[in-house]
Amino acid sequence: MSDDTQQTDRVLERFARTGARMVERELGRRERLREGLRQFVPLTGEERVLDSGAGTGALAIAMAPLAREVVAVDIVPELLDLGRQAAAGEVENVTFVNGDATALPFEREAFDLAACNRVLHHVARPELVVSELVRVTRMGGRVLVIDQIAPVDPLAALELDRFEKARDPSHTRLLPDIDIRALVEANGLVLRASRQEQEERDLDSYLDLAGCEGEQRAEAAAVAPARMLATVGWYLAAKPLPR
Ligand SMILES: C[S@@+](CC[C@H](N)C(=O)[O-])C[C@H]1O[C@@H](n2cnc3c(N)ncnc32)[C@H](O)[C@@H]1O
Protein backbone atom coordinates (compact mmCIF):
# COMPACT_ATOMS: atom_id res chain seq x y z
CA MET A 1 0.00 0.00 0.00
CA SER A 2 1.41 3.43 -0.94
CA ASP A 3 2.05 6.18 1.62
CA ASP A 4 -0.73 8.24 0.03
CA THR A 5 -3.26 5.39 0.36
CA GLN A 6 -2.32 4.78 3.98
CA GLN A 7 -2.68 8.47 4.70
CA THR A 8 -6.11 8.57 3.05
CA ASP A 9 -7.19 5.61 5.19
CA ARG A 10 -6.08 7.45 8.33
CA VAL A 11 -8.05 10.54 7.26
CA LEU A 12 -11.17 8.48 6.48
CA GLU A 13 -10.95 6.69 9.83
CA ARG A 14 -10.35 9.79 11.95
CA PHE A 15 -12.84 12.16 10.36
CA ALA A 16 -15.69 9.66 9.94
CA ARG A 17 -15.64 9.34 13.76
CA THR A 18 -15.41 13.00 14.71
CA GLY A 19 -17.70 14.89 12.33
CA ALA A 20 -20.31 15.82 14.94
CA ARG A 21 -17.67 17.67 16.99
CA MET A 22 -16.47 19.49 13.89
CA VAL A 23 -20.01 20.73 13.22
CA GLU A 24 -20.29 22.07 16.76
CA ARG A 25 -16.94 23.83 16.46
CA GLU A 26 -17.84 25.20 13.02
CA LEU A 27 -21.03 26.76 14.36
CA GLY A 28 -19.20 28.37 17.26
CA ARG A 29 -16.61 29.93 14.93
CA ARG A 30 -18.73 30.72 11.88
CA GLU A 31 -19.24 34.45 12.41
CA ARG A 32 -15.62 35.07 13.35
CA LEU A 33 -14.36 33.19 10.31
CA ARG A 34 -16.85 35.04 8.07
CA GLU A 35 -15.63 38.39 9.41
CA GLY A 36 -12.00 37.30 8.92
CA LEU A 37 -12.75 36.34 5.31
CA ARG A 38 -14.64 39.57 4.68
CA GLN A 39 -11.64 41.59 5.83
CA PHE A 40 -8.89 39.50 4.25
CA VAL A 41 -10.35 38.60 0.85
CA PRO A 42 -11.77 41.42 -1.28
CA LEU A 43 -14.87 39.98 -3.00
CA THR A 44 -17.56 41.38 -5.30
CA GLY A 45 -20.16 38.74 -4.41
CA GLU A 46 -20.01 37.33 -7.95
CA GLU A 47 -17.26 34.78 -7.34
CA ARG A 48 -17.43 31.02 -7.74
CA VAL A 49 -15.42 29.67 -4.82
CA LEU A 50 -13.90 26.29 -4.02
CA ASP A 51 -13.37 25.07 -0.45
CA SER A 52 -10.97 22.13 -0.80
CA GLY A 53 -10.83 19.69 2.14
CA ALA A 54 -13.95 21.42 3.37
CA GLY A 55 -14.88 18.94 6.09
CA THR A 56 -18.33 19.94 7.33
CA GLY A 57 -18.02 23.19 5.37
CA ALA A 58 -16.59 25.71 7.84
CA LEU A 59 -15.05 27.97 5.20
CA ALA A 60 -17.73 27.21 2.59
CA ILE A 61 -20.61 28.19 4.87
CA ALA A 62 -18.79 31.25 6.21
CA MET A 63 -18.00 32.31 2.64
CA ALA A 64 -21.47 31.62 1.19
CA PRO A 65 -23.06 35.08 1.81
CA LEU A 66 -19.95 36.77 0.39
CA ALA A 67 -19.90 34.91 -2.95
CA ARG A 68 -22.21 33.74 -5.76
CA GLU A 69 -21.55 30.03 -5.33
CA VAL A 70 -19.34 27.83 -3.17
CA VAL A 71 -18.34 24.23 -3.89
CA ALA A 72 -17.13 22.28 -0.86
CA VAL A 73 -15.08 19.17 -1.62
CA ASP A 74 -13.87 16.55 0.85
CA ILE A 75 -12.75 12.95 0.77
CA VAL A 76 -14.82 11.86 3.80
CA PRO A 77 -18.48 11.22 2.86
CA GLU A 78 -19.68 11.42 6.49
CA LEU A 79 -18.38 14.99 6.77
CA LEU A 80 -20.13 15.99 3.55
CA ASP A 81 -23.47 14.68 4.87
CA LEU A 82 -23.02 16.68 8.08
CA GLY A 83 -22.01 19.73 6.06
CA ARG A 84 -25.17 19.48 3.93
CA GLN A 85 -27.24 19.38 7.12
CA ALA A 86 -25.34 22.33 8.63
CA ALA A 87 -25.81 24.39 5.47
CA ALA A 88 -29.51 23.57 5.06
CA GLY A 89 -31.70 26.49 6.04
CA GLU A 90 -28.61 28.70 6.53
CA VAL A 91 -27.23 29.19 3.04
CA GLU A 92 -28.49 28.08 -0.38
CA ASN A 93 -25.44 28.46 -2.59
CA VAL A 94 -23.15 25.73 -1.21
CA THR A 95 -22.78 22.33 -2.89
CA PHE A 96 -20.92 19.45 -1.23
CA VAL A 97 -18.93 17.12 -3.48
CA ASN A 98 -16.90 14.01 -2.71
CA GLY A 99 -13.35 14.26 -4.02
CA ASP A 100 -9.64 14.26 -3.36
CA ALA A 101 -7.92 17.61 -2.76
CA THR A 102 -4.77 16.23 -4.41
CA ALA A 103 -6.67 15.32 -7.62
CA LEU A 104 -9.69 17.61 -7.75
CA PRO A 105 -12.70 16.50 -9.82
CA PHE A 106 -12.95 19.87 -11.63
CA GLU A 107 -11.88 21.34 -14.94
CA ARG A 108 -8.99 23.77 -14.97
CA GLU A 109 -9.86 27.43 -14.31
CA ALA A 110 -13.33 26.53 -12.99
CA PHE A 111 -13.18 28.91 -9.98
CA ASP A 112 -12.53 32.59 -9.25
CA LEU A 113 -11.16 31.75 -5.82
CA ALA A 114 -9.88 28.39 -4.58
CA ALA A 115 -9.19 27.91 -0.88
CA CYS A 116 -8.16 25.34 1.68
CA ASN A 117 -8.52 25.72 5.41
CA ARG A 118 -6.40 23.52 7.72
CA VAL A 119 -5.89 20.77 5.15
CA LEU A 120 -2.17 20.86 4.26
CA HIS A 121 -1.16 19.14 7.50
CA HIS A 122 -3.49 16.20 6.79
CA VAL A 123 -2.03 15.10 3.47
CA ALA A 124 1.16 13.27 2.56
CA ARG A 125 1.89 15.70 -0.29
CA PRO A 126 0.68 19.23 0.50
CA GLU A 127 2.31 20.53 -2.70
CA LEU A 128 -0.35 18.64 -4.67
CA VAL A 129 -3.17 20.34 -2.76
CA VAL A 130 -1.73 23.75 -3.63
CA SER A 131 -1.01 22.89 -7.28
CA GLU A 132 -4.58 21.59 -7.64
CA LEU A 133 -5.96 24.83 -6.17
CA VAL A 134 -3.92 26.71 -8.73
CA ARG A 135 -4.99 24.48 -11.63
CA VAL A 136 -8.72 25.02 -10.96
CA THR A 137 -8.37 28.80 -10.46
CA ARG A 138 -8.95 31.05 -13.47
CA MET A 139 -6.19 33.37 -14.65
CA GLY A 140 -6.56 36.57 -12.65
CA GLY A 141 -8.29 34.61 -9.87
CA ARG A 142 -7.04 34.02 -6.37
CA VAL A 143 -5.88 31.21 -4.09
CA LEU A 144 -6.38 31.32 -0.33
CA VAL A 145 -4.47 29.03 2.03
CA ILE A 146 -5.16 28.99 5.75
CA ASP A 147 -3.29 26.58 7.99
CA GLN A 148 -1.63 26.16 11.34
CA ILE A 149 2.05 26.81 10.77
CA ALA A 150 5.08 25.14 12.29
CA PRO A 151 7.40 26.93 14.71
CA VAL A 152 10.52 28.35 13.04
CA ASP A 153 12.76 26.28 15.34
CA PRO A 154 12.95 22.81 13.67
CA LEU A 155 13.23 21.00 17.01
CA ALA A 156 10.16 22.76 18.35
CA ALA A 157 8.41 21.86 15.07
CA LEU A 158 9.33 18.18 15.48
CA GLU A 159 8.02 18.16 19.04
CA LEU A 160 4.79 19.80 18.02
CA ASP A 161 4.28 17.30 15.18
CA ARG A 162 4.96 14.46 17.64
CA PHE A 163 2.14 15.73 19.87
CA GLU A 164 -0.21 16.35 16.94
CA LYS A 165 0.39 12.83 15.56
CA ALA A 166 -0.11 11.25 18.97
CA ARG A 167 -3.41 13.11 19.26
CA ASP A 168 -4.47 12.34 15.67
CA PRO A 169 -2.64 9.78 13.51
CA SER A 170 -4.00 11.50 10.38
CA HIS A 171 -1.78 14.51 11.13
CA THR A 172 1.23 14.56 8.78
CA ARG A 173 3.38 17.68 9.28
CA LEU A 174 2.84 21.36 9.93
CA LEU A 175 4.53 23.47 7.31
CA PRO A 176 6.51 26.53 8.41
CA ASP A 177 5.56 29.91 6.97
CA ILE A 178 8.55 29.82 4.62
CA ASP A 179 7.42 26.53 3.02
CA ILE A 180 3.93 27.86 2.35
CA ARG A 181 5.44 30.96 0.75
CA ALA A 182 7.69 28.71 -1.35
CA LEU A 183 4.66 26.71 -2.55
CA VAL A 184 2.95 29.96 -3.53
CA GLU A 185 5.99 31.05 -5.50
CA ALA A 186 6.70 27.66 -7.07
CA ASN A 187 3.19 27.68 -8.52
CA GLY A 188 3.67 31.05 -10.21
CA LEU A 189 1.35 32.87 -7.79
CA VAL A 190 1.89 36.37 -6.49
CA LEU A 191 1.36 36.75 -2.76
CA ARG A 192 -1.04 39.64 -2.16
CA ALA A 193 -1.56 39.44 1.60
CA SER A 194 -0.61 37.33 4.58
CA ARG A 195 -1.26 37.45 8.26
CA GLN A 196 -0.85 35.29 11.34
CA GLU A 197 -3.15 34.81 14.28
CA GLN A 198 -2.68 33.05 17.58
CA GLU A 199 -5.17 30.45 18.69
CA GLU A 200 -5.20 29.50 22.38
CA ARG A 201 -6.36 25.91 22.83
CA ASP A 202 -7.63 23.96 25.79
CA LEU A 203 -5.89 20.54 25.85
CA ASP A 204 -8.96 18.50 26.83
CA SER A 205 -11.25 20.04 24.21
CA TYR A 206 -8.53 19.69 21.59
CA LEU A 207 -8.10 15.98 22.39
CA ASP A 208 -11.90 15.56 22.37
CA LEU A 209 -12.13 17.17 18.94
CA ALA A 210 -9.92 14.41 17.48
CA GLY A 211 -11.77 11.66 19.40
CA CYS A 212 -8.51 10.94 21.24
CA GLU A 213 -9.31 8.61 24.13
CA GLY A 214 -7.88 5.97 26.49
CA GLU A 215 -4.21 5.09 26.19
CA GLN A 216 -3.78 7.27 23.11
CA ARG A 217 -5.09 10.26 25.07
CA ALA A 218 -2.63 9.67 27.91
CA GLU A 219 0.24 9.34 25.42
CA ALA A 220 -0.73 12.54 23.62
CA ALA A 221 -1.22 14.47 26.88
CA ALA A 222 2.27 13.36 27.99
CA VAL A 223 3.88 15.09 24.98
CA ALA A 224 1.55 18.10 24.81
CA PRO A 225 3.17 21.55 24.75
CA ALA A 226 3.13 23.38 28.07
CA ARG A 227 1.11 26.15 26.45
CA MET A 228 -1.30 25.26 23.70
CA LEU A 229 -0.90 28.32 21.52
CA ALA A 230 -1.23 27.60 17.80
CA THR A 231 -0.14 30.02 15.09
CA VAL A 232 -2.44 30.07 12.08
CA GLY A 233 -1.23 31.63 8.83
CA TRP A 234 -3.46 33.16 6.16
CA TYR A 235 -2.09 33.56 2.61
CA LEU A 236 -3.93 35.21 -0.27
CA ALA A 237 -2.25 34.94 -3.67
CA ALA A 238 -3.17 35.97 -7.20
CA LYS A 239 -2.87 33.78 -10.28
CA PRO A 240 -1.51 36.27 -12.81
CA LEU A 241 -3.14 36.94 -16.16
CA PRO A 242 -1.02 35.83 -19.14
CA ARG A 243 1.22 38.61 -20.51
C1 LIG B 1 -8.64 19.75 10.07
S1 LIG B 1 -9.88 19.30 8.94
C2 LIG B 1 -10.39 20.87 8.31
C3 LIG B 1 -11.78 20.82 7.73
C4 LIG B 1 -12.32 22.16 7.27
N1 LIG B 1 -11.52 22.71 6.19
C5 LIG B 1 -12.39 23.12 8.43
O1 LIG B 1 -11.68 24.14 8.40
O2 LIG B 1 -13.14 22.84 9.36
C6 LIG B 1 -8.98 18.59 7.59
C7 LIG B 1 -9.89 18.18 6.45
O3 LIG B 1 -9.12 17.75 5.34
C8 LIG B 1 -9.81 16.69 4.72
N2 LIG B 1 -8.88 15.96 3.88
C9 LIG B 1 -7.72 15.37 4.24
N3 LIG B 1 -7.13 14.81 3.18
C10 LIG B 1 -7.94 15.06 2.10
C11 LIG B 1 -7.86 14.77 0.72
N4 LIG B 1 -6.84 14.08 0.20
N5 LIG B 1 -8.85 15.21 -0.07
C12 LIG B 1 -9.90 15.92 0.42
N6 LIG B 1 -10.02 16.21 1.73
C13 LIG B 1 -9.05 15.80 2.56
C14 LIG B 1 -10.34 15.90 5.89
O4 LIG B 1 -11.34 15.00 5.51
C15 LIG B 1 -10.83 17.02 6.78
O5 LIG B 1 -12.14 17.40 6.47
Side-chain angles (χ1 to χ4, degrees), residues 45-68:
E46 282 308 308
E47 290 81 2
R48 182 168 195 243
V49 178
L50 173 70
D51 179 8
S52 179
T56 57
L59 187 139
I61 296 173
M63 181 66 90
L66 313 177
R68 174 168 54 86

PDB file of all heavy atoms in Angstrom, residues 45-68:
ATOM      1  N   GLY A  45     -18.909  39.473  -4.597  1.00  0.00           N
ATOM      2  CA  GLY A  45     -20.162  38.738  -4.406  1.00  0.00           C
ATOM      3  C   GLY A  45     -20.515  37.914  -5.628  1.00  0.00           C
ATOM      4  O   GLY A  45     -21.462  37.139  -5.619  1.00  0.00           O
ATOM      5  N   GLU A  46     -19.719  38.045  -6.694  1.00  0.00           N
ATOM      6  CA  GLU A  46     -20.006  37.328  -7.952  1.00  0.00           C
ATOM      7  C   GLU A  46     -19.109  36.097  -8.130  1.00  0.00           C
ATOM      8  O   GLU A  46     -19.179  35.406  -9.145  1.00  0.00           O
ATOM      9  CB  GLU A  46     -19.783  38.288  -9.147  1.00  0.00           C
ATOM     10  CG  GLU A  46     -20.916  39.268  -9.348  1.00  0.00           C
ATOM     11  CD  GLU A  46     -22.272  38.559  -9.430  1.00  0.00           C
ATOM     12  OE1 GLU A  46     -22.417  37.612 -10.222  1.00  0.00           O
ATOM     13  OE2 GLU A  46     -23.173  38.927  -8.653  1.00  0.00           O
ATOM     14  N   GLU A  47     -18.273  35.823  -7.155  1.00  0.00           N
ATOM     15  CA  GLU A  47     -17.262  34.780  -7.342  1.00  0.00           C
ATOM     16  C   GLU A  47     -17.836  33.369  -7.197  1.00  0.00           C
ATOM     17  O   GLU A  47     -18.732  33.117  -6.391  1.00  0.00           O
ATOM     18  CB  GLU A  47     -16.125  34.938  -6.303  1.00  0.00           C
ATOM     19  CG  GLU A  47     -15.250  36.140  -6.516  1.00  0.00           C
ATOM     20  CD  GLU A  47     -15.831  37.458  -5.991  1.00  0.00           C
ATOM     21  OE1 GLU A  47     -16.936  37.425  -5.416  1.00  0.00           O
ATOM     22  OE2 GLU A  47     -15.173  38.491  -6.168  1.00  0.00           O
ATOM     23  N   ARG A  48     -17.216  32.461  -7.954  1.00  0.00           N
ATOM     24  CA  ARG A  48     -17.429  31.025  -7.739  1.00  0.00           C
ATOM     25  C   ARG A  48     -16.220  30.530  -6.947  1.00  0.00           C
ATOM     26  O   ARG A  48     -15.070  30.680  -7.384  1.00  0.00           O
ATOM     27  CB  ARG A  48     -17.539  30.295  -9.080  1.00  0.00           C
ATOM     28  CG  ARG A  48     -17.797  28.818  -8.905  1.00  0.00           C
ATOM     29  CD  ARG A  48     -18.185  28.163 -10.225  1.00  0.00           C
ATOM     30  NE  ARG A  48     -18.763  26.864  -9.969  1.00  0.00           N
ATOM     31  CZ  ARG A  48     -18.245  25.706 -10.375  1.00  0.00           C
ATOM     32  NH1 ARG A  48     -17.143  25.688 -11.098  1.00  0.00           N
ATOM     33  NH2 ARG A  48     -18.835  24.569 -10.077  1.00  0.00           N
ATOM     34  N   VAL A  49     -16.491  29.970  -5.777  1.00  0.00           N
ATOM     35  CA  VAL A  49     -15.415  29.674  -4.825  1.00  0.00           C
ATOM     36  C   VAL A  49     -15.338  28.172  -4.568  1.00  0.00           C
ATOM     37  O   VAL A  49     -16.364  27.491  -4.480  1.00  0.00           O
ATOM     38  CB  VAL A  49     -15.696  30.396  -3.475  1.00  0.00           C
ATOM     39  CG1 VAL A  49     -14.621  30.077  -2.445  1.00  0.00           C
ATOM     40  CG2 VAL A  49     -15.780  31.913  -3.691  1.00  0.00           C
ATOM     41  N   LEU A  50     -14.113  27.681  -4.419  1.00  0.00           N
ATOM     42  CA  LEU A  50     -13.901  26.287  -4.021  1.00  0.00           C
ATOM     43  C   LEU A  50     -13.360  26.248  -2.598  1.00  0.00           C
ATOM     44  O   LEU A  50     -12.425  26.979  -2.268  1.00  0.00           O
ATOM     45  CB  LEU A  50     -12.883  25.616  -4.957  1.00  0.00           C
ATOM     46  CG  LEU A  50     -12.464  24.208  -4.524  1.00  0.00           C
ATOM     47  CD1 LEU A  50     -13.618  23.215  -4.691  1.00  0.00           C
ATOM     48  CD2 LEU A  50     -11.246  23.731  -5.310  1.00  0.00           C
ATOM     49  N   ASP A  51     -13.942  25.373  -1.767  1.00  0.00           N
ATOM     50  CA  ASP A  51     -13.373  25.068  -0.445  1.00  0.00           C
ATOM     51  C   ASP A  51     -12.879  23.627  -0.530  1.00  0.00           C
ATOM     52  O   ASP A  51     -13.673  22.682  -0.528  1.00  0.00           O
ATOM     53  CB  ASP A  51     -14.462  25.239   0.635  1.00  0.00           C
ATOM     54  CG  ASP A  51     -13.952  24.912   2.031  1.00  0.00           C
ATOM     55  OD1 ASP A  51     -12.729  24.692   2.195  1.00  0.00           O
ATOM     56  OD2 ASP A  51     -14.776  24.874   2.970  1.00  0.00           O
ATOM     57  N   SER A  52     -11.557  23.452  -0.608  1.00  0.00           N
ATOM     58  CA  SER A  52     -10.968  22.129  -0.802  1.00  0.00           C
ATOM     59  C   SER A  52     -10.584  21.533   0.553  1.00  0.00           C
ATOM     60  O   SER A  52      -9.901  22.179   1.341  1.00  0.00           O
ATOM     61  CB  SER A  52      -9.727  22.286  -1.699  1.00  0.00           C
ATOM     62  OG  SER A  52      -9.110  21.058  -1.888  1.00  0.00           O
ATOM     63  N   GLY A  53     -11.019  20.281   0.808  1.00  0.00           N
ATOM     64  CA  GLY A  53     -10.831  19.686   2.141  1.00  0.00           C
ATOM     65  C   GLY A  53     -11.743  20.389   3.119  1.00  0.00           C
ATOM     66  O   GLY A  53     -11.367  20.760   4.226  1.00  0.00           O
ATOM     67  N   ALA A  54     -12.993  20.545   2.672  1.00  0.00           N
ATOM     68  CA  ALA A  54     -13.952  21.417   3.374  1.00  0.00           C
ATOM     69  C   ALA A  54     -14.457  20.849   4.691  1.00  0.00           C
ATOM     70  O   ALA A  54     -15.005  21.583   5.514  1.00  0.00           O
ATOM     71  CB  ALA A  54     -15.148  21.683   2.456  1.00  0.00           C
ATOM     72  N   GLY A  55     -14.305  19.543   4.892  1.00  0.00           N
ATOM     73  CA  GLY A  55     -14.880  18.941   6.092  1.00  0.00           C
ATOM     74  C   GLY A  55     -16.382  19.140   6.117  1.00  0.00           C
ATOM     75  O   GLY A  55     -17.084  18.871   5.134  1.00  0.00           O
ATOM     76  N   THR A  56     -16.884  19.695   7.228  1.00  0.00           N
ATOM     77  CA  THR A  56     -18.330  19.937   7.326  1.00  0.00           C
ATOM     78  C   THR A  56     -18.678  21.335   6.769  1.00  0.00           C
ATOM     79  O   THR A  56     -19.779  21.820   6.996  1.00  0.00           O
ATOM     80  CB  THR A  56     -18.811  19.788   8.776  1.00  0.00           C
ATOM     81  OG1 THR A  56     -18.070  20.702   9.597  1.00  0.00           O
ATOM     82  CG2 THR A  56     -18.576  18.373   9.295  1.00  0.00           C
ATOM     83  N   GLY A  57     -17.713  21.967   6.109  1.00  0.00           N
ATOM     84  CA  GLY A  57     -18.018  23.193   5.366  1.00  0.00           C
ATOM     85  C   GLY A  57     -17.778  24.486   6.111  1.00  0.00           C
ATOM     86  O   GLY A  57     -18.416  25.498   5.816  1.00  0.00           O
ATOM     87  N   ALA A  58     -16.822  24.493   7.044  1.00  0.00           N
ATOM     88  CA  ALA A  58     -16.585  25.710   7.838  1.00  0.00           C
ATOM     89  C   ALA A  58     -16.344  26.926   6.938  1.00  0.00           C
ATOM     90  O   ALA A  58     -17.045  27.943   7.038  1.00  0.00           O
ATOM     91  CB  ALA A  58     -15.401  25.504   8.780  1.00  0.00           C
ATOM     92  N   LEU A  59     -15.364  26.807   6.053  1.00  0.00           N
ATOM     93  CA  LEU A  59     -15.051  27.970   5.202  1.00  0.00           C
ATOM     94  C   LEU A  59     -16.170  28.191   4.181  1.00  0.00           C
ATOM     95  O   LEU A  59     -16.571  29.323   3.919  1.00  0.00           O
ATOM     96  CB  LEU A  59     -13.708  27.750   4.512  1.00  0.00           C
ATOM     97  CG  LEU A  59     -13.183  28.953   3.720  1.00  0.00           C
ATOM     98  CD1 LEU A  59     -11.670  29.105   3.936  1.00  0.00           C
ATOM     99  CD2 LEU A  59     -13.458  28.826   2.240  1.00  0.00           C
ATOM    100  N   ALA A  60     -16.685  27.095   3.633  1.00  0.00           N
ATOM    101  CA  ALA A  60     -17.727  27.213   2.590  1.00  0.00           C
ATOM    102  C   ALA A  60     -18.953  27.952   3.126  1.00  0.00           C
ATOM    103  O   ALA A  60     -19.478  28.863   2.472  1.00  0.00           O
ATOM    104  CB  ALA A  60     -18.118  25.818   2.098  1.00  0.00           C
ATOM    105  N   ILE A  61     -19.392  27.583   4.314  1.00  0.00           N
ATOM    106  CA  ILE A  61     -20.614  28.193   4.868  1.00  0.00           C
ATOM    107  C   ILE A  61     -20.334  29.648   5.283  1.00  0.00           C
ATOM    108  O   ILE A  61     -21.153  30.541   5.073  1.00  0.00           O
ATOM    109  CB  ILE A  61     -21.168  27.347   6.040  1.00  0.00           C
ATOM    110  CG1 ILE A  61     -21.596  25.960   5.524  1.00  0.00           C
ATOM    111  CG2 ILE A  61     -22.341  28.050   6.719  1.00  0.00           C
ATOM    112  CD1 ILE A  61     -21.995  24.964   6.597  1.00  0.00           C
ATOM    113  N   ALA A  62     -19.141  29.879   5.842  1.00  0.00           N
ATOM    114  CA  ALA A  62     -18.785  31.254   6.214  1.00  0.00           C
ATOM    115  C   ALA A  62     -18.701  32.135   4.971  1.00  0.00           C
ATOM    116  O   ALA A  62     -19.096  33.304   4.974  1.00  0.00           O
ATOM    117  CB  ALA A  62     -17.448  31.257   6.960  1.00  0.00           C
ATOM    118  N   MET A  63     -18.213  31.562   3.879  1.00  0.00           N
ATOM    119  CA  MET A  63     -18.003  32.312   2.641  1.00  0.00           C
ATOM    120  C   MET A  63     -19.298  32.530   1.856  1.00  0.00           C
ATOM    121  O   MET A  63     -19.403  33.489   1.075  1.00  0.00           O
ATOM    122  CB  MET A  63     -16.992  31.513   1.795  1.00  0.00           C
ATOM    123  CG  MET A  63     -16.591  32.083   0.486  1.00  0.00           C
ATOM    124  SD  MET A  63     -15.670  33.612   0.655  1.00  0.00           S
ATOM    125  CE  MET A  63     -13.975  33.053   0.756  1.00  0.00           C
ATOM    126  N   ALA A  64     -20.278  31.658   2.059  1.00  0.00           N
ATOM    127  CA  ALA A  64     -21.468  31.621   1.191  1.00  0.00           C
ATOM    128  C   ALA A  64     -22.139  32.987   0.982  1.00  0.00           C
ATOM    129  O   ALA A  64     -22.435  33.351  -0.158  1.00  0.00           O
ATOM    130  CB  ALA A  64     -22.456  30.586   1.707  1.00  0.00           C
ATOM    131  N   PRO A  65     -22.386  33.787   2.050  1.00  0.00           N
ATOM    132  CA  PRO A  65     -23.063  35.076   1.814  1.00  0.00           C
ATOM    133  C   PRO A  65     -22.184  36.098   1.101  1.00  0.00           C
ATOM    134  O   PRO A  65     -22.675  37.138   0.673  1.00  0.00           O
ATOM    135  CB  PRO A  65     -23.385  35.579   3.230  1.00  0.00           C
ATOM    136  CG  PRO A  65     -23.116  34.451   4.147  1.00  0.00           C
ATOM    137  CD  PRO A  65     -22.141  33.553   3.477  1.00  0.00           C
ATOM    138  N   LEU A  66     -20.880  35.807   0.984  1.00  0.00           N
ATOM    139  CA  LEU A  66     -19.954  36.769   0.389  1.00  0.00           C
ATOM    140  C   LEU A  66     -19.697  36.477  -1.087  1.00  0.00           C
ATOM    141  O   LEU A  66     -19.014  37.245  -1.757  1.00  0.00           O
ATOM    142  CB  LEU A  66     -18.607  36.736   1.126  1.00  0.00           C
ATOM    143  CG  LEU A  66     -18.642  36.774   2.665  1.00  0.00           C
ATOM    144  CD1 LEU A  66     -17.236  36.669   3.220  1.00  0.00           C
ATOM    145  CD2 LEU A  66     -19.311  38.050   3.134  1.00  0.00           C
ATOM    146  N   ALA A  67     -20.222  35.341  -1.589  1.00  0.00           N
ATOM    147  CA  ALA A  67     -19.899  34.910  -2.954  1.00  0.00           C
ATOM    148  C   ALA A  67     -21.171  34.442  -3.670  1.00  0.00           C
ATOM    149  O   ALA A  67     -22.217  34.277  -3.062  1.00  0.00           O
ATOM    150  CB  ALA A  67     -18.883  33.765  -2.894  1.00  0.00           C
ATOM    151  N   ARG A  68     -21.042  34.210  -4.994  1.00  0.00           N
ATOM    152  CA  ARG A  68     -22.207  33.737  -5.760  1.00  0.00           C
ATOM    153  C   ARG A  68     -22.477  32.261  -5.468  1.00  0.00           C
ATOM    154  O   ARG A  68     -23.605  31.846  -5.239  1.00  0.00           O
ATOM    155  CB  ARG A  68     -21.918  33.923  -7.262  1.00  0.00           C
ATOM    156  CG  ARG A  68     -22.967  33.340  -8.190  1.00  0.00           C
ATOM    157  CD  ARG A  68     -22.765  33.818  -9.622  1.00  0.00           C
ATOM    158  NE  ARG A  68     -21.420  33.582 -10.137  1.00  0.00           N
ATOM    159  CZ  ARG A  68     -21.006  32.446 -10.707  1.00  0.00           C
ATOM    160  NH1 ARG A  68     -21.830  31.445 -10.850  1.00  0.00           N
ATOM    161  NH2 ARG A  68     -19.762  32.335 -11.145  1.00  0.00           N
TER     162      ARG A  68
END
